[in-house]
Amino acid sequence: MEDVVGTKGRPRDPETTRLIQKVALDLAYSGGIGNATVERIAEHSGVAKTTIYRRWPNAASIVMDGFLDEIGPLIVYDEKRSIVTTLKSNIRHLVNALKGRRGDLLRHLVGAAQTNDELREAFLHQLIEPRRTLAREAFQRAIARTELRAEADAEIILDLIYGAVYYRLFVSFAPFHAKFVDQIVDRAFHGMTTDP
Amino acid sequence: MEDVVGTKGRPRDPETTRLIQKVALDLAYSGGIGNATVERIAEHSGVAKTTIYRRWPNAASIVMDGFLDEIGPLIVYDEKRSIVTTLKSNIRHLVNALKGRRGDLLRHLVGAAQTNDELREAFLHQLIEPRRTLAREAFQRAIARTELRAEADAEIILDLIYGAVYYRLFVSFAPFHAKFVDQIVDRAFHGMTTDP
Amino acid sequence: MEDVVGTKGRPRDPETTRLIQKVALDLAYSGGIGNATVERIAEHSGVAKTTIYRRWPNAASIVMDGFLDEIGPLIVYDEKRSIVTTLKSNIRHLVNALKGRRGDLLRHLVGAAQTNDELREAFLHQLIEPRRTLAREAFQRAIARTELRAEADAEIILDLIYGAVYYRLFVSFAPFHAKFVDQIVDRAFHGMTTDP
Amino acid sequence: MEDVVGTKGRPRDPETTRLIQKVALDLAYSGGIGNATVERIAEHSGVAKTTIYRRWPNAASIVMDGFLDEIGPLIVYDEKRSIVTTLKSNIRHLVNALKGRRGDLLRHLVGAAQTNDELREAFLHQLIEPRRTLAREAFQRAIARTELRAEADAEIILDLIYGAVYYRLFVSFAPFHAKFVDQIVDRAFHGMTTDP
DNA sequence: TTTTAATCGAGACGGTACGTCGCGTCTTGTT
DNA sequence: AACAAGACGCGACGTACCGTCTCGATTAAAA
């Protein structure tokens, strides 16, 4: 969604790209996604609107890009001994990353994604699917090594687990308490692991 | 969020209230929530903008009210023999109600609710919480009659079930397949029922 | 423009009439004629809009009525020994009455009268013409007693004198200096009096 | 009050400026100054409201600018043999220019100027003062060449003459008859010229 | 004493216009 | 080409007043 252009003429300044993203993210953090308008980003960064539109189709996309860049490294995927432990660790990172202002911004972004296909694609393909794919593969390995019973349905279990997390964020607007992650993961896997 | 006013002066015309709501909903269904602007609702209904603003603070609230009025009766709560059957029936109604254009509109509304507290309250208190309360009470009765094991945690199980539904709607944008409801409910309750 | 109504039914409260006028005038003095809206007069007086519209056709008319009531007694017409002295005294009263905030309000009212026939009529028939008629009659008496030459044209002389006053007020926005009244009256009458 | 802007960025289209002015003037002539609203000017000209507000602060200012552009050339200043002849010719042009719809529009504009400082300044500095300055200078030359007596006070004489004209227009709402100009000028200058 | 008729307060209502914000596109001159 | 600057058409916002209307509650003279 960026600096891919022809070879002739003056090249786009990557510093400008970064600056736009930073300013957009700052504005969104400080006043909600509605505060990050192209108009304001231009003004606060000293960059012309045309320069912005050359890189992104709308303001929310800039914020989304900035947000994904920021949140990515925070949700470490790190495979543990068992699938349950792996998922618990993984979800815990997710839940921690979404505490406070970052969760609010994600809410705003997902909100905007409901009426904007570009945002939806970005959100889905850059945040949701990659992590789900990793988890799905871990499922297969767990079944292969008979840690999980063969009939364990990754899609259902992952829908339940991720669902519970995002449900609290977007739907019931409830905070995450300390035992939440353990409880949902345990419940979703109940009776599917071969160990006692 | 509406005709709740004092006894003095000329009373608000309830017919006008209904008309505004209907027009708003029609516009939202035909072109997304962005199509339901106060300007357009006024134009299409022959009602003055001031008359609209006297009842609702913004266009999305009108659509939300209309939507909640419409969807309410569709999600029948109807208690069956067992808690599992009750929930399956209940969730099936929900899932059916949210197929097609109604699901899209709910997505838009929940999207808007992420940046608008009034919408969020309406959505939460008029749609989410009443149903959750009914389910919570059914849980207690099921435990009382020893259909459910005493350690069954209603909050966790309901987060998982409702979460999975709304996750598909808002986050993974995946359709509901035929066995989905049975699968998620069974998985969430696994090992918690006393019958075989 | 007021309390003239049928005999049956509840009579209009003359106290209310006075209150409306007072509030309107106060608003106009404190924030210009644009501050005296029917809406605001109603709010500040605790009187209903219908009650106001039953008495006057618009806000400016209320202010005009209040203003004319107030300014009338200030512009004393008081016939002196000679026509020149009479006019000088008369104009001096006018000029004094129009100093400060009263002049500003008259400017606003005459401004509004340019686009509002009702105001124009009120202004003309209640303020301008009565005084002009008195002056015209004084002219005739002055000619009759050979104080003024027979060819003295009252219309021209009065247009010049009154014109100069209102010109400073509405057109050149210049203040009235001490000798102004004497100078314009003397100049307008030059060579028309029979003495010295 | 217009195209006075820096050199940077896309320049304002002067054609658009002229178009706006023309449409505003047409609207004002056909339905009074109240007919020339920014909304209507935008609609009738196909120009966006923002484009209009970028040039003028309100509708009346546009009409004023258009009016001054139009009336300027009509009030020819053309110095004759004597000061009296010069002024008569000058005032005759003014009176002729203000006959009919143009006089009505000026009335509306001056009316609006009573509550709007920007209009007042424009009217004063672009219409009133330049002509008054020319006349004042002609006075000085007439005194220098002993055509006028040295004690002739330009300010008083001009207040009387211009005053009489505008008084008929704004205050007494009386038409200009054929001999009016000669009469007021002769009367105002009476005894001040050195020739018989 | 009961009508009957108008007044009064409150506030709804359809309108018109306001001035502003943000959008995404465009046209300048400069780098 | 990219870039800063800013014009431009557009759509919508939420507000202010307008003058009219519909309520229920007074108030006074006529029946």
Side-chain angles (χ1 to χ4, degrees):
Chain A
M1 196 176 257
E2 262 176 71
D3 298 328
V4 193
V5 230
T7 165
K8 239 175 143 183
R10 176 171 166 180
R12 289 192 192 156
D13 185 343
E15 204 47 61
T16 301
T17 306
R18 269 187 295 274
L19 173 62
I20 294 168
Q21 228 170 46
K22 187 194 175 313
V23 170
L25 208 53
D26 287 352
L27 284 168
Y29 273 133
S30 69
I33 205 176
N35 195 38
T37 66
V38 172
E39 214 88 31
R40 252 196 279 268
I41 296 166
E43 196 194 348
H44 285 236
S45 63
V47 154
K49 284 206 289 172
T50 32
T51 302
I52 296 174
Y53 279 114
R54 218 170 277 128
R55 281 149 228 246
W56 291 278
N58 53 62
S61 294
I62 313 177
V63 179
M64 178 67 94
D65 274 11
F67 179 80
L68 292 176
D69 280 5
E70 183 184 276
I71 200 119
L74 296 177
I75 321 174
V76 205
Y77 182 81
D78 162 29
E79 197 142 349
K80 308 287 183 180
R81 269 148 293 121
S82 76
I83 180 84
V84 168
T85 329
T86 301
L87 267 175
K88 280 183 180 172
S89 149
N90 192 203
I91 299 290
R92 217 182 307 276
H93 276 118
L94 175 64
V95 162
N96 283 332
L98 295 183
K99 271 177 181 153
R101 62 172 210 168
R102 247 185 240 108
D104 283 335
L105 184 49
L106 180 60
R107 290 199 303 101
H108 290 188
L109 282 168
V110 173
Q114 304 302 326
T115 45
N116 179 328
D117 288 352
E118 264 159 334
L119 286 182
R120 171 173 157 161
E121 298 294 300
F123 168 67
L124 194 55
H125 298 136
Q126 291 177 56
L127 185 67
I128 301 303
E129 283 182 347
R131 273 158 188 88
R132 180 131 181 161
T133 300
L134 289 173
R136 197 181 285 116
E137 290 164 359
F139 257 82
Q140 289 166 352
R141 286 192 292 275
I143 291 174
R145 67 175 179 264
T146 70
E147 182 198 328
L148 264 187
R149 297 176 61 168
E151 72 264 35
D153 186 333
E155 302 311 320
I156 291 298
I157 293 175
L158 291 174
D159 274 7
L160 288 166
I161 295 173
Y162 279 118
V165 172
Y166 289 117
Y167 175 82
R168 291 222 150 202
L169 204 57
F170 305 142
V171 180
S172 73
F173 306 102
F176 301 115
H177 53 79
K179 292 181 288 183
F180 178 70
V181 174
D182 285 349
Q183 289 179 326
I184 59 167
V185 175
D186 286 340
R187 188 89 286 274
F189 274 102
H190 190 269
M192 282 298 115
T193 50
T194 51
D195 55 51
Chain B
M1 198 177 255
E2 252 175 83
D3 293 328
V4 194
V5 226
T7 169
K8 279 179 166 175
R10 176 175 170 178
R12 292 193 190 155
D13 186 343
E15 205 47 62
T16 301
T17 306
R18 269 188 294 276
L19 174 61
I20 294 168
Q21 228 169 46
K22 188 198 172 310
V23 169
L25 206 53
D26 286 353
L27 284 168
Y29 272 135
S30 70
I33 207 177
N35 194 40
T37 64
V38 172
E39 206 91 30
R40 249 200 280 269
I41 295 166
E43 191 192 320
H44 284 234
S45 64
V47 154
K49 280 206 291 173
T50 37
T51 300
I52 297 175
Y53 279 114
R54 215 171 278 125
R55 281 150 225 247
W56 291 277
N58 53 61
S61 294
I62 314 176
V63 178
M64 178 68 95
D65 275 10
F67 179 80
L68 293 176
D69 280 5
E70 183 184 276
I71 200 120
L74 295 177
I75 321 176
V76 205
Y77 181 82
D78 162 29
E79 196 141 351
K80 308 289 183 180
R81 269 148 293 125
S82 75
I83 179 85
V84 168
T85 329
T86 301
L87 265 176
K88 279 183 180 173
S89 152
N90 193 201
I91 300 290
R92 217 182 308 276
H93 276 120
L94 175 65
V95 163
N96 282 332
L98 295 183
K99 270 178 181 153
R101 59 171 211 169
R102 248 186 238 106
D104 283 335
L105 185 49
L106 179 61
R107 290 199 302 103
H108 291 188
L109 282 168
V110 174
Q114 305 304 326
T115 44
N116 179 328
D117 287 353
E118 265 160 333
L119 286 181
R120 172 173 154 161
E121 297 294 299
F123 168 67
L124 194 54
H125 298 136
Q126 291 178 54
L127 185 67
I128 301 304
E129 283 181 347
R131 274 157 189 88
R132 180 130 182 161
T133 301
L134 289 173
R136 196 181 286 116
E137 291 163 359
F139 256 83
Q140 291 166 350
R141 286 191 293 274
I143 290 174
R145 66 175 180 264
T146 70
E147 180 198 327
L148 266 187
R149 300 177 59 169
E151 72 263 35
D153 186 334
E155 303 312 319
I156 291 299
I157 293 175
L158 291 174
D159 275 7
L160 288 167
I161 294 174
Y162 281 118
V165 171
Y166 289 116
Y167 175 81
R168 290 221 151 201
L169 205 56
F170 305 141
V171 179
S172 74
F173 306 103
F176 301 115
H177 53 76
K179 293 179 288 183
F180 178 70
V181 174
D182 284 349
Q183 290 179 328
I184 58 167
V185 176
D186 286 340
R187 187 90 285 277
F189 273 103
H190 191 269
M192 283 297 115
T193 51
T194 49
D195 53 48
Chain C
M1 198 176 254
E2 260 176 70
D3 298 327
V4 193
V5 229
T7 166
K8 236 177 145 182
R10 176 171 171 179
R12 288 193 192 156
D13 186 342
E15 204 45 63
T16 301
T17 306
R18 268 188 296 275
L19 173 61
I20 295 168
Q21 226 170 49
K22 188 199 174 309
V23 169
L25 207 53
D26 285 353
L27 284 168
Y29 273 133
S30 70
I33 206 177
N35 194 39
T37 66
V38 172
E39 212 88 31
R40 250 197 282 267
I41 295 167
E43 195 194 348
H44 284 237
S45 63
V47 154
K49 283 205 291 170
T50 33
T51 302
I52 296 174
Y53 279 114
R54 219 170 275 125
R55 282 149 226 248
W56 291 276
N58 53 62
S61 294
I62 314 176
V63 179
M64 178 68 94
D65 274 12
F67 179 79
L68 292 176
D69 280 7
E70 184 183 276
I71 200 119
L74 296 177
I75 321 176
V76 205
Y77 181 82
D78 162 29
E79 197 143 347
K80 309 287 184 179
R81 270 148 292 125
S82 76
I83 179 85
V84 168
T85 329
T86 302
L87 265 176
K88 279 184 181 173
S89 151
N90 192 201
I91 299 290
R92 217 182 309 274
H93 276 120
L94 175 65
V95 162
N96 283 332
L98 294 182
K99 269 178 183 155
R101 59 171 212 169
R102 247 185 239 109
D104 283 335
L105 185 49
L106 179 61
R107 289 200 302 103
H108 291 188
L109 282 168
V110 173
Q114 304 304 327
T115 46
N116 180 328
D117 286 352
E118 264 160 334
L119 287 182
R120 172 173 154 161
E121 297 294 301
F123 168 67
L124 195 54
H125 297 135
Q126 291 177 54
L127 185 66
I128 300 304
E129 284 181 347
R131 274 159 188 86
R132 180 128 181 161
T133 301
L134 290 173
R136 197 182 286 118
E137 291 162 1
F139 256 81
Q140 291 164 353
R141 286 190 292 275
I143 290 174
R145 68 175 178 264
T146 70
E147 179 197 332
L148 265 189
R149 298 176 59 167
E151 71 263 36
D153 186 333
E155 303 312 319
I156 291 299
I157 293 175
L158 291 174
D159 275 7
L160 287 167
I161 294 173
Y162 280 117
V165 172
Y166 289 116
Y167 175 82
R168 290 222 152 202
L169 204 57
F170 306 142
V171 179
S172 73
F173 307 103
F176 301 115
H177 53 79
K179 293 180 287 183
F180 178 70
V181 175
D182 284 349
Q183 289 179 326
I184 58 168
V185 176
D186 286 340
R187 188 90 284 278
F189 275 101
H190 191 269
M192 283 297 113
T193 50
T194 50
D195 54 52
Chain D
M1 200 177 254
E2 258 177 75
D3 294 329
V4 194
V5 226
T7 169
K8 278 178 165 175
R10 175 174 169 180
R12 291 194 190 153
D13 186 343
E15 205 46 63
T16 300
T17 306
R18 269 188 293 276
L19 175 60
I20 294 168
Q21 229 169 47
K22 187 196 174 312
V23 169
L25 206 53
D26 287 353
L27 284 167
Y29 273 134
S30 69
I33 207 177
N35 194 39
T37 65
V38 173
E39 207 91 29
R40 249 198 280 271
I41 295 167
E43 192 192 322
H44 284 234
S45 65
V47 155
K49 281 207 289 176
T50 37
T51 300
I52 296 175
Y53 279 113
R54 217 170 277 124
R55 281 153 226 246
W56 291 277
N58 53 62
S61 294
I62 314 176
V63 179
M64 178 68 94
D65 275 10
F67 179 80
L68 293 176
D69 281 6
E70 184 185 274
I71 200 117
L74 295 177
I75 322 176
V76 205
Y77 181 81
D78 165 27
E79 198 142 348
K80 308 286 184 184
R81 267 149 294 123
S82 75
I83 181 85
V84 169
T85 329
T86 301
L87 266 176
K88 281 184 180 171
S89 151
N90 192 201
I91 299 290
R92 216 181 308 275
H93 276 119
L94 175 64
V95 163
N96 282 332
L98 294 182
K99 270 179 181 151
R101 59 172 211 170
R102 245 185 241 109
D104 283 334
L105 185 49
L106 180 61
R107 289 201 300 105
H108 291 187
L109 282 169
V110 173
Q114 304 303 327
T115 45
N116 180 327
D117 287 353
E118 265 161 331
L119 286 181
R120 169 173 158 160
E121 298 294 299
F123 168 68
L124 194 54
H125 298 137
Q126 291 177 54
L127 185 66
I128 300 305
E129 284 182 346
R131 275 159 188 87
R132 178 129 183 162
T133 301
L134 289 173
R136 195 181 287 116
E137 290 163 0
F139 256 81
Q140 291 166 352
R141 285 191 294 274
I143 292 174
R145 67 175 178 263
T146 70
E147 181 198 328
L148 266 187
R149 298 176 61 167
E151 72 262 35
D153 187 332
E155 302 312 318
I156 291 298
I157 293 175
L158 290 174
D159 275 7
L160 287 166
I161 294 173
Y162 281 118
V165 172
Y166 290 117
Y167 174 81
R168 291 223 149 201
L169 205 57
F170 305 141
V171 179
S172 73
F173 307 103
F176 301 116
H177 53 77
K179 293 181 286 181
F180 178 70
V181 175
D182 284 349
Q183 290 180 325
I184 57 167
V185 176
D186 285 340
R187 185 92 287 274
F189 273 102
H190 189 271
M192 282 298 116
T193 49
T194 50
D195 52 50

